[in-house]
Every structure is written in structure tokens, then in C-alpha cells.
Amino acid sequence: MPVIKHPRLIDPPFHEWDRKAQKCGLRHTVYAVNGDQYTGEWQDNLKHGKGTQIWKNTGAIYSGDWKFGKRDGYGSYSVPDPVTKEYRKMYTGWWQNDRRGGRGMYFYSNGERYDGEWKKGLRSGWGKMHYKDGSVYEGQWLKDKPNGHGVLRLPNGNRYEGGWKEGKKHGPGKYFYPEKGQLLEGTWVADIPKCGALVDFERDNAAAPTEFPLPEIELHDPAAVLAEARAMFDDSKN
């Protein structure tokens, strides 16, 4: 009986090329068309796991966790100094959906730094900000501005404790003057104290107290004051 030989089916070459192009698992450096490069883990042709990305245009480097093509998890972001060309760390902390999210520390180019919570790339939650003039704010943030309750400490030793709204002192608060031994307690609106009382506070320990202590404020019962006023009015009629 004759043997019939059938030709072996061979897949077209592009099938093999396509299989090799799909990135999954640990790979060496992969270069993008625009010159960006990534070294790390992949899943389903997306950056996923641990990896390092270098952007050609800016020279910036991100090293940390990835999730389906986006920075997600813990990682650090650094940029080259325009003068020395040495890398300077800008942010280290948690990321969510390719933006700063969670707890992290950000180093600004002017020397300021923020250590606290982030949401969608903005300072939101509880955090501590060190300003270049030496001031320090610690408290609540919302959409990159102090908002809620917080404490601002100034380089001269003065401090404000109280409410904030959109980056300005707002609501009930206390402003301490340790050098003079005084305290202003009142209500602020858009950074301006609208009403309050100035009293002595730890005056004996102050470095430069006022010459004379402030007189104590005597609080009276409103009903008693009204009754006294009526009595004086009645006496004047007689």
C-alpha cells in the first residue's frame, strides 16, 4: 500500500515575531521609539512588578513598583541637576495610578520639603512642610493647601495654632508671641484676625516681655449687667 506524505504545515514567520514581541516576565532593557528605556518586569506586554524607567527628554529616573503600565506602589523619582548634572531625588514614597498617592516625601528645587500624605499627586491629608524661610507647617492639607487644623511655627518663635482654609488662617485660633509672653486668641478670616483677646501667656519666661502686664479681663454675667443698667436708668429718672 503506497504511503501518502502530507506536507508539514509551517506557521507564517510573523506568528513567531509576534510571540517574541510580547513582553512578559523579567527582561533586559527595552527601548521605546522616542528613546525612553525601561529595565524590569513585564506582564501582558505592560510594565508590571519591579522596574526602572529613564525618560530621554528630561533624564528623569523612576525606580520602583509598576502595575499594568503605571507607577503604582513604592518608588523614587529623581532628576538631574541642571548645573552639576548629578541626580537629585525629588520624591520617594507611595504611588497610585501613576501619581503620588499615600505617604511620601517631596524635595523641592528651592530647598523646601514636604513629608506627609498625597492624593492624586497633590498634598492632601496630614503632612509637614518645611519652607525655605525656616517656617514649618504641620497639620491637615487639601488639594495642595493647608486646610483644616494645623500649626504654623515661624523662625522668630511665634506660632499659630488653629483653623485653616485654602492655605490661609481661618476660623478659631491662637497666635503665640513667646518672646513678649503674650497670646492672641480669637477668630481669623482669610489670614486676618477679626476678633479676639490679647492676654499675657508665660510672661515670666519671656525673653523680652512688655513693660507692663496686660490687665485681666473681667467677665460679667450678661443678665446681671442688664439689671444693673436698668437700675441706673431708673435712678436717673427719679
Side-chain angles (χ1 to χ4, degrees), residues 49-70:
K50 301 287 185 180
T52 299
Q53 168 91 15
I54 302 177
W55 287 267
K56 181 180 178 180
N57 289 339
T58 62
I61 295 178
Y62 169 80
S63 182
D65 296 326
W66 296 79
K67 187 176 181 180
F68 300 116
K70 296 182 179 181

Side-chain angles (χ1 to χ4, degrees), residues 84-98:
T84 64
K85 305 302 180 182
E86 295 181 356
Y87 275 93
R88 176 176 57 85
K89 186 174 292 185
M90 288 191 66
Y91 176 78
T92 179
W94 292 92
W95 300 72
Q96 292 177 352
N97 197 28
D98 217 34

Side-chain angles (χ1 to χ4, degrees), residues 19-27 40-46 48:
R19 184 187 65 80
K20 291 182 178 180
Q22 298 302 311
K23 296 177 284 294
C24 188
L26 182 62
R27 290 237 175 178
E41 298 175 305
W42 297 78
Q43 181 173 322
D44 298 331
N45 219 33
L46 296 172
H48 190 85

Side-chain angles (χ1 to χ4, degrees), residues 122-139:
L122 302 176
R123 292 168 290 184
S124 291
W126 189 269
K128 188 175 184 179
M129 181 74 186
H130 296 260
Y131 297 95
K132 60 181 179 181
D133 65 353
S135 302
V136 178
Y137 170 82
E138 184 174 7

Side-chain angles (χ1 to χ4, degrees), residues 66 119 148 212:
W66 296 79
K119 186 177 182 181
F212 301 103

